[in-house]
Amino acid sequence: MIFPEINYENLSTTSELKPLKEYAWDFEQEDFILKDGKFQVVSGTEALKIWIWKALSTERYRYMAYSFDYGSEIEALIGSTYSSGLMNSEIERYLKEALLINPYIKNISDISTSIDESTINIACLVDTVYGEVKVNV
C-alpha cells in the first residue's frame, strides 16, 4: 500500500499526555542548573521552554544522539543570499518543522525575525497544552 490509512480515533489526545519534564536550564550560562551537585527537574511550561530552546539550538542531523526528527535546520540559512521574503518563509517553515513534532505544542504564530550576517533572531508565540509561551531565540 503506497498511502497508509490513518485511524485518527486511536491517536493520543492532549488529555493523555504525561506532564513534560526537563532538567532545569540556565539560558544565560547555557548550562544545567545544579543544586548540591544534583540536576534539578522542572515540569510544565518551564520544561517546554527548555525543550523549545534546545530544539531550536540543535542543528538537525548533526548529532547521532538525537533522532532525525529533533532539532532545526535554521542554521543552514545563515549567510545565504535568499531574498528577505524567501528567508522569512524558510525560517517559518524550519521553525514549524522543528517545534510542531512535539505533542505539547499546538500552534506557532506571531513569528518575527531579524537577520544580520551571522545571526538569526526569532521571536514567536507558541500555543501549548499549558497555554501560550513567548519564545525569543
Side-chain angles (χ1 to χ4, degrees), residues 32-51:
F32 293 104
I33 297 173
L34 302 175
K35 184 175 182 182
D36 298 325
K38 295 183 181 181
F39 290 101
Q40 299 299 296
V41 177
V42 295
S43 61
T45 302
E46 192 60 32
L48 196 50
K49 288 178 186 178
I50 295 166
W51 187 92

Side-chain angles (χ1 to χ4, degrees), residues 22-73:
E22 285 282 345
Y23 289 112
W25 186 256
D26 183 333
F27 293 99
E28 290 180 19
Q29 299 294 320
E30 294 189 12
D31 201 1
F32 293 104
I33 297 173
L34 302 175
K35 184 175 182 182
D36 298 325
K38 295 183 181 181
F39 290 101
Q40 299 299 296
V41 177
V42 295
S43 61
T45 302
E46 192 60 32
L48 196 50
K49 288 178 186 178
I50 295 166
W51 187 92
I52 291 168
W53 186 86
K54 287 184 176 182
L56 293 177
S57 299
T58 302
E59 181 66 17
R60 185 176 284 183
Y61 310 119
R62 182 176 293 165
Y63 304 101
M64 297 295 290
Y66 300 112
S67 78
F68 285 170
D69 292 334
Y70 185 79
S72 78
E73 299 171 68

Side-chain angles (χ1 to χ4, degrees), residues 87-100:
M87 180 73 84
N88 288 331
S89 176
E90 285 296 281
I91 290 170
E92 181 175 339
R93 181 173 69 91
Y94 287 150
L95 178 69
K96 288 182 177 182
E97 286 176 358
L99 299 184
L100 291 176

Side-chain angles (χ1 to χ4, degrees), residues 92-110:
E92 181 175 339
R93 181 173 69 91
Y94 287 150
L95 178 69
K96 288 182 177 182
E97 286 176 358
L99 299 184
L100 291 176
I101 64 154
N102 188 315
Y104 296 85
I105 297 174
K106 297 190 231 177
N107 191 30
I108 301 164
S109 61
D110 298 336

